Amino acid sequence: MKRNKMIFVHALIMTTSLVAAGCEPLEKEASAEQSRVSVSMVINDLGMIFPEGLDENDNPYIHYIEEETGLDLRVSIPPQEVYEEKLNVIMASRNLPDLIHSYNPVWYDEYVKKGAIVPLDDYIDQYGPDLKKYIPEEAWERMRYNGKIYAIPSLTEVPGIELMYVRKDWLDRLGLKPPTTLDDYYEVIKAFAKNDPDRNGLHDTMGLILTENMGRTAPFFGAFGVQLNSWLERDGKLVNGSTLEGTKEALGFLAKLYREGLVDPEFPLNRNSVFIEKIENGRVGMFSAAWYDTRGPIALNKKKDPNAEWIALEYPVGPEGHSGVYDSDLIRGFNVVPAGTSHPEEVIKLLNFIAGEGRKTLKLGFENEIWSMQDGKMVTNFAEHDKHLYRGIYQALVDVVDPEIAKARLDSLGDFHLYENLQMIEQNVIRNQFYGTPTPAMSKHAGHLEELQNVFTEIVMGIVPLDEFDAFVERWYREGGAEITEEVNKWYEGRLQEGGIAAP
């Protein structure tokens, strides 16, 4: 009996030890969970949809971020249609999140001036090495107010949008070479409209297609050294491109195409869906494409007509040697920490992870699930890629320019020349020289001045004469443009004095 008692005691000790040993990791895990700092953030869902059973606070990608950063994230997503209003309500409340993401520079400027946002310089220096590494000084400069940085920027990855594409099979059929000068373009557009390039015996092709509101015209304005609504330097001052003589000349060129029946006569009615349909159905020989249209209307046309062959063109070169297209704004979003919140250092750690160590996974998705390497090339599983696009709502908080990842990702989507398109655009952008927050006069007059530009469509269609452009310029300056121009140049002079931009 004594021996049995000793065995029982020994077993009890062993069992207790095993249980204790088994519980230790669980206790440590529970303790770690409790010690995690909770970071709340208000962000935009960018129109993304979560797969069934997942949401912004419960999905593999936010769990990945939490595991890697040791943070407990709490995400709130206001509805898209009232996003801005919700941000204002939040800022007026006492229940402030640790992080807010806005896409509106006016919103950012307003709350910085109110003193409602925390300066971040010290936190960036201590906790943001990858932010400092991957975000250029040009972007940081735009985040500064009175010398202090008040936001972590998210960058625009693409340098611009439009480049010219043409039906090469039509060129070959008509014995034409790819055009380079504006005169060459005119001859090709004319041949496509008049010489039955599809050989169906019908007068049903158009040399060039545009869209409503003078859309898809940028390369033709670039041939005259201008871009609509961009601020361009002339004699040391900034001038709005819509008011320059080059714009009148470009309108005259487009009006000639319309008058001769070479451009789609219905272009003022061409919304995007109609535009795509006309290209898909093989009626169009040339257009200014978005860089991704090779996966859109061009791919649809090639599917319907396997003999269709499309190639990118050099931008049309105008009579004085000008060419190019508008650029994209470098900044796409602002991450701010409201004043009075408790965890600015954790916010910077989070954003630093998204821009640095976590960038590849958040941009591309999980390896061997969304994509894999096969024969040295990245191959995308499109079904899984599309299913998990929602990861972009986290990645887009701090988008940075990474050519290596961009090329791998775009090439993996198929043989659509996406990366090559972006490279061609980047080499031909006409820079908008004003990148400050909208001025007070812009807020007051911009809508009206934009409406005045409706006359451009009327000029192209021949409803009013080309000289009506001169009357437009006079009205533009008289009805708010002069005030805006004065404010823009005051900003420009300040930037030149501060050394923020190179002198012309």
Side-chain angles (χ1 to χ4, degrees):
M1 179 154 179
K2 184 177 180 181
R3 183 171 179 274
N4 290 342
K5 185 175 181 181
M6 288 179 65
I7 292 172
F8 172 77
V9 171
H10 180 70
L12 182 62
I13 292 170
M14 289 293 292
T15 302
T16 303
S17 299
L18 288 171
V19 170
C23 285
E24 186 176 359
L26 296 176
E27 289 171 355
K28 285 183 178 179
E29 185 176 334
S31 176
E33 289 290 336
Q34 291 172 359
S35 65
R36 286 190 176 203
V37 174
S38 180
V39 172
S40 58
M41 52 184 177
V42 178
I43 63 177
N44 195 306
D45 67 6
L46 305 175
M48 301 292 184
I49 298 173
F50 289 91
E52 188 174 353
L54 303 181
D55 60 37
E56 61 270 23
N57 285 297
D58 183 13
N59 64 72
Y61 289 94
I62 196 165
H63 295 326
Y64 160 73
I65 298 171
E66 289 176 322
E67 288 168 9
E68 295 296 324
T69 61
L71 298 171
D72 178 25
L73 301 179
R74 295 287 181 266
V75 181
S76 176
I77 298 179
Q80 284 263 40
E81 59 273 15
V82 292
Y83 189 79
E84 197 87 1
E85 293 90 328
K86 287 292 185 182
L87 294 190
N88 291 332
V89 171
I90 289 168
M91 290 298 288
S93 74
R94 295 183 178 180
N95 187 24
L96 293 169
D98 298 298
L99 166 66
I100 289 179
H101 191 89
S102 171
Y103 288 94
N104 188 337
V106 176
W107 185 92
Y108 169 64
D109 188 58
E110 177 185 348
Y111 283 100
V112 169
K113 290 177 178 176
K114 285 181 177 179
I117 296 174
V118 175
L120 300 174
D121 303 73
D122 293 342
Y123 301 109
I124 295 168
D125 287 341
Q126 191 167 355
Y127 303 110
D130 287 329
L131 296 174
K132 296 173 73 172
K133 180 178 180 180
Y134 295 113
I135 296 174
E137 175 58 26
E138 180 185 354
W140 288 123
E141 195 55 39
R142 291 176 59 181
M143 301 299 104
R144 289 193 175 97
Y145 182 74
N146 288 340
K148 291 287 187 180
I149 293 172
Y150 284 85
I152 306 298
S154 182
L155 307 184
T156 303
E157 190 177 14
V158 299
I161 305 297
E162 293 182 39
L163 76 167
M164 297 300 302
Y165 260 83
V166 70
R167 285 282 297 263
K168 184 179 183 299
D169 55 314
W170 285 12
L171 288 175
D172 294 343
R173 191 170 294 158
L174 298 177
L176 299 169
K177 294 181 179 179
T180 53
T181 68
L182 200 61
D183 288 341
D184 295 338
Y185 267 80
Y186 169 77
E187 295 299 336
V188 168
I189 291 169
K190 183 177 180 179
F192 283 176
K194 301 293 187 182
N195 296 347
D196 192 22
D198 58 359
R199 293 296 188 256
N200 68 353
L202 301 174
H203 186 65
D204 61 350
T205 56
M206 59 188 77
L208 180 70
I209 188 171
L210 312 176
T211 65
E212 60 180 349
N213 301 321
M214 298 298 297
R216 304 304 183 106
T217 59
F220 296 103
F221 285 94
F224 294 93
V226 298
Q227 287 297 305
L228 298 181
N229 302 314
S230 287
W231 291 89
L232 308 173
E233 187 275 325
R234 296 289 188 270
D235 299 322
K237 298 287 186 180
L238 295 190
V239 185
N240 191 284
S242 297
T243 68
L244 292 171
E245 186 65 20
T247 295
K248 182 178 182 180
E249 294 171 347
L251 291 172
F253 176 79
L254 294 171
K256 177 183 178 182
L257 298 183
Y258 189 92
R259 185 169 62 250
E260 296 181 9
L262 311 184
V263 67
D264 180 11
E266 300 173 341
F267 84 85
L269 304 177
N270 282 344
R271 294 191 173 182
N272 195 52
S273 58
V274 176
F275 172 76
I276 290 172
E277 183 182 354
K278 290 178 178 179
I279 297 168
E280 178 186 4
N281 289 336
R283 296 184 58 198
V284 178
M286 181 192 295
F287 72 108
S288 182
W291 64 272
Y292 46 80
D293 277 349
T294 45
R295 286 190 75 203
I298 289 175
L300 292 171
N301 175 235
K302 292 171 72 172
K303 184 177 180 180
K304 184 164 283 192
D305 177 4
N307 294 318
E309 183 182 358
W310 290 84
I311 60 169
L313 292 173
E314 296 294 327
Y315 288 91
V317 179
E320 296 183 13
H322 296 298
S323 65
V325 71
Y326 61 88
D327 65 348
S328 297
D329 192 351
L330 175 64
I331 307 298
R332 65 180 291 188
F334 306 82
N335 297 283
V336 303
V337 176
T341 54
S342 305
H343 306 297
E345 62 276 8
E346 276 75 21
V347 169
I348 300 304
K349 290 177 185 177
L350 167 66
L351 298 176
N352 187 73
F353 173 77
I354 292 172
E357 186 183 341
R359 180 174 75 255
K360 185 174 182 179
T361 295
L362 293 174
K363 189 77 173 179
L364 303 179
F366 293 121
E367 187 174 4
N368 297 323
E369 180 180 335
I370 307 296
W371 62 277
S372 60
M373 296 301 295
Q374 299 178 18
D375 299 324
K377 291 186 176 181
M378 180 180 160
V379 178
T380 295
N381 180 328
F382 287 108
E384 289 299 312
H385 169 75
D386 292 343
K387 181 179 176 183
H388 295 283
L389 282 174
Y390 68 84
R391 66 184 180 273
I393 71 172
Y394 311 111
Q395 182 272 323
L397 289 175
V398 198
D399 212 346
V400 296
V401 177
D402 188 327
E404 184 178 341
I405 288 180
K407 186 177 190 312
R409 181 176 71 87
L410 294 175
D411 287 350
S412 78
L413 298 178
D415 188 21
F416 297 110
H417 306 285
L418 298 173
Y419 189 72
E420 291 93 329
N421 288 348
L422 288 176
Q423 284 186 306
M424 183 176 288
I425 293 170
E426 185 172 15
Q427 293 163 11
N428 290 277
V429 292
I430 296 173
R431 295 288 181 189
N432 182 359
Q433 297 296 326
F434 175 75
Y435 50 80
T437 57
T439 71
M442 284 180 182
S443 302
K444 186 166 43 172
H445 301 297
H448 171 63
L449 296 182
E450 189 173 324
E451 287 180 5
L452 291 183
Q453 284 192 188
N454 291 338
V455 73
F456 291 178
T457 298
E458 296 176 348
I459 289 173
V460 171
M461 296 178 69
I463 297 172
V464 298
L466 181 59
D467 285 343
E468 192 65 25
F469 176 81
D470 301 323
F472 156 79
V473 173
E474 290 179 10
R475 284 193 66 187
W476 190 90
Y477 276 102
R478 185 174 67 248
E479 298 177 15
E483 188 179 352
I484 293 175
T485 301
E486 182 180 352
E487 291 175 346
V488 165
N489 277 284
K490 184 177 180 181
W491 169 88
Y492 188 61
E493 290 164 9
R495 302 293 295 135
L496 287 174
Q497 292 170 4
E498 293 170 9
I501 47 181

mmCIF file of all heavy atoms in Angstrom, residues 35-50:
data_model
loop_
_atom_site.group_PDB
_atom_site.id
_atom_site.type_symbol
_atom_site.label_atom_id
_atom_site.label_comp_id
_atom_site.label_asym_id
_atom_site.label_seq_id
_atom_site.Cartn_x
_atom_site.Cartn_y
_atom_site.Cartn_z
ATOM 1 N N SER A 35 -0.838 42.053 -24.484
ATOM 2 C CA SER A 35 0.133 43.141 -24.473
ATOM 3 C C SER A 35 0.204 43.873 -25.804
ATOM 4 O O SER A 35 0.890 44.871 -25.922
ATOM 5 C CB SER A 35 1.528 42.594 -24.131
ATOM 6 O OG SER A 35 1.967 41.722 -25.148
ATOM 7 N N ARG A 36 -0.486 43.370 -26.834
ATOM 8 C CA ARG A 36 -0.462 44.036 -28.137
ATOM 9 C C ARG A 36 -1.116 45.414 -28.043
ATOM 10 O O ARG A 36 -2.172 45.569 -27.440
ATOM 11 C CB ARG A 36 -1.207 43.212 -29.178
ATOM 12 C CG ARG A 36 -0.457 41.978 -29.639
ATOM 13 C CD ARG A 36 -1.146 41.361 -30.832
ATOM 14 N NE ARG A 36 -0.398 40.235 -31.361
ATOM 15 C CZ ARG A 36 -0.490 39.783 -32.598
ATOM 16 N NH1 ARG A 36 -1.316 40.368 -33.448
ATOM 17 N NH2 ARG A 36 0.222 38.754 -33.002
ATOM 18 N N VAL A 37 -0.485 46.382 -28.683
ATOM 19 C CA VAL A 37 -1.057 47.722 -28.731
ATOM 20 C C VAL A 37 -2.156 47.737 -29.790
ATOM 21 O O VAL A 37 -1.976 47.260 -30.906
ATOM 22 C CB VAL A 37 0.023 48.763 -29.074
ATOM 23 C CG1 VAL A 37 -0.611 50.141 -29.260
ATOM 24 C CG2 VAL A 37 1.079 48.801 -27.992
ATOM 25 N N SER A 38 -3.296 48.283 -29.442
ATOM 26 C CA SER A 38 -4.419 48.376 -30.371
ATOM 27 C C SER A 38 -4.328 49.686 -31.151
ATOM 28 O O SER A 38 -4.228 50.765 -30.559
ATOM 29 C CB SER A 38 -5.743 48.308 -29.607
ATOM 30 O OG SER A 38 -6.825 48.397 -30.504
ATOM 31 N N VAL A 39 -4.335 49.576 -32.474
ATOM 32 C CA VAL A 39 -4.270 50.749 -33.348
ATOM 33 C C VAL A 39 -5.546 50.798 -34.182
ATOM 34 O O VAL A 39 -5.854 49.865 -34.926
ATOM 35 C CB VAL A 39 -3.036 50.688 -34.276
ATOM 36 C CG1 VAL A 39 -3.088 51.812 -35.312
ATOM 37 C CG2 VAL A 39 -1.752 50.777 -33.470
ATOM 38 N N SER A 40 -6.276 51.890 -34.056
ATOM 39 C CA SER A 40 -7.516 52.060 -34.821
ATOM 40 C C SER A 40 -7.245 52.937 -36.028
ATOM 41 O O SER A 40 -6.460 53.887 -35.964
ATOM 42 C CB SER A 40 -8.599 52.685 -33.946
ATOM 43 O OG SER A 40 -8.171 53.933 -33.437
ATOM 44 N N MET A 41 -7.893 52.609 -37.158
ATOM 45 C CA MET A 41 -7.677 53.417 -38.363
ATOM 46 C C MET A 41 -8.938 53.490 -39.198
ATOM 47 O O MET A 41 -9.728 52.548 -39.247
ATOM 48 C CB MET A 41 -6.511 52.868 -39.179
ATOM 49 C CG MET A 41 -6.568 51.401 -39.502
ATOM 50 S SD MET A 41 -5.040 50.915 -40.376
ATOM 51 C CE MET A 41 -5.304 49.154 -40.560
ATOM 52 N N VAL A 42 -9.092 54.633 -39.834
ATOM 53 C CA VAL A 42 -10.207 54.876 -40.749
ATOM 54 C C VAL A 42 -9.625 54.982 -42.145
ATOM 55 O O VAL A 42 -8.822 55.876 -42.431
ATOM 56 C CB VAL A 42 -10.963 56.165 -40.375
ATOM 57 C CG1 VAL A 42 -12.087 56.428 -41.370
ATOM 58 C CG2 VAL A 42 -11.523 56.065 -38.962
ATOM 59 N N ILE A 43 -10.031 54.052 -43.028
ATOM 60 C CA ILE A 43 -9.458 53.997 -44.361
ATOM 61 C C ILE A 43 -10.557 53.803 -45.398
ATOM 62 O O ILE A 43 -11.716 53.543 -45.056
ATOM 63 C CB ILE A 43 -8.408 52.877 -44.483
ATOM 64 C CG1 ILE A 43 -9.048 51.495 -44.272
ATOM 65 C CG2 ILE A 43 -7.282 53.089 -43.481
ATOM 66 C CD1 ILE A 43 -8.073 50.338 -44.443
ATOM 67 N N ASN A 44 -10.177 53.905 -46.661
ATOM 68 C CA ASN A 44 -11.107 53.783 -47.778
ATOM 69 C C ASN A 44 -11.003 52.380 -48.373
ATOM 70 O O ASN A 44 -9.893 51.868 -48.537
ATOM 71 C CB ASN A 44 -10.754 54.838 -48.833
ATOM 72 C CG ASN A 44 -11.853 55.054 -49.849
ATOM 73 O OD1 ASN A 44 -12.319 54.119 -50.484
ATOM 74 N ND2 ASN A 44 -12.265 56.303 -50.010
ATOM 75 N N ASP A 45 -12.144 51.765 -48.713
ATOM 76 C CA ASP A 45 -12.081 50.405 -49.272
ATOM 77 C C ASP A 45 -11.815 50.383 -50.773
ATOM 78 O O ASP A 45 -11.704 49.315 -51.378
ATOM 79 C CB ASP A 45 -13.346 49.609 -48.947
ATOM 80 C CG ASP A 45 -14.587 50.146 -49.634
ATOM 81 O OD1 ASP A 45 -14.477 51.071 -50.457
ATOM 82 O OD2 ASP A 45 -15.680 49.638 -49.333
ATOM 83 N N LEU A 46 -11.705 51.571 -51.398
ATOM 84 C CA LEU A 46 -11.366 51.675 -52.822
ATOM 85 C C LEU A 46 -12.326 50.894 -53.715
ATOM 86 O O LEU A 46 -11.982 50.528 -54.842
ATOM 87 C CB LEU A 46 -9.932 51.173 -53.068
ATOM 88 C CG LEU A 46 -8.832 51.834 -52.239
ATOM 89 C CD1 LEU A 46 -7.499 51.157 -52.494
ATOM 90 C CD2 LEU A 46 -8.753 53.309 -52.539
ATOM 91 N N GLY A 47 -13.522 50.646 -53.208
ATOM 92 C CA GLY A 47 -14.492 49.892 -53.987
ATOM 93 C C GLY A 47 -14.256 48.396 -53.991
ATOM 94 O O GLY A 47 -14.925 47.658 -54.740
ATOM 95 N N MET A 48 -13.321 47.923 -53.172
ATOM 96 C CA MET A 48 -13.014 46.494 -53.127
ATOM 97 C C MET A 48 -14.110 45.722 -52.385
ATOM 98 O O MET A 48 -14.772 46.254 -51.495
ATOM 99 C CB MET A 48 -11.676 46.254 -52.427
ATOM 100 C CG MET A 48 -10.501 46.946 -53.087
ATOM 101 S SD MET A 48 -10.125 46.254 -54.704
ATOM 102 C CE MET A 48 -8.664 47.192 -55.130
ATOM 103 N N ILE A 49 -14.262 44.464 -52.753
ATOM 104 C CA ILE A 49 -15.264 43.601 -52.134
ATOM 105 C C ILE A 49 -14.560 42.435 -51.454
ATOM 106 O O ILE A 49 -13.657 41.819 -52.027
ATOM 107 C CB ILE A 49 -16.260 43.069 -53.182
ATOM 108 C CG1 ILE A 49 -17.012 44.242 -53.830
ATOM 109 C CG2 ILE A 49 -17.245 42.090 -52.564
ATOM 110 C CD1 ILE A 49 -17.903 43.838 -54.985
ATOM 111 N N PHE A 50 -14.971 42.125 -50.235
ATOM 112 C CA PHE A 50 -14.391 41.001 -49.507
ATOM 113 C C PHE A 50 -15.116 39.708 -49.870
ATOM 114 O O PHE A 50 -16.335 39.701 -50.035
ATOM 115 C CB PHE A 50 -14.494 41.237 -47.997
ATOM 116 C CG PHE A 50 -13.587 42.316 -47.493
ATOM 117 C CD1 PHE A 50 -14.019 43.633 -47.417
ATOM 118 C CD2 PHE A 50 -12.289 42.022 -47.107
ATOM 119 C CE1 PHE A 50 -13.185 44.637 -46.968
ATOM 120 C CE2 PHE A 50 -11.442 43.017 -46.652
ATOM 121 C CZ PHE A 50 -11.890 44.320 -46.579
#
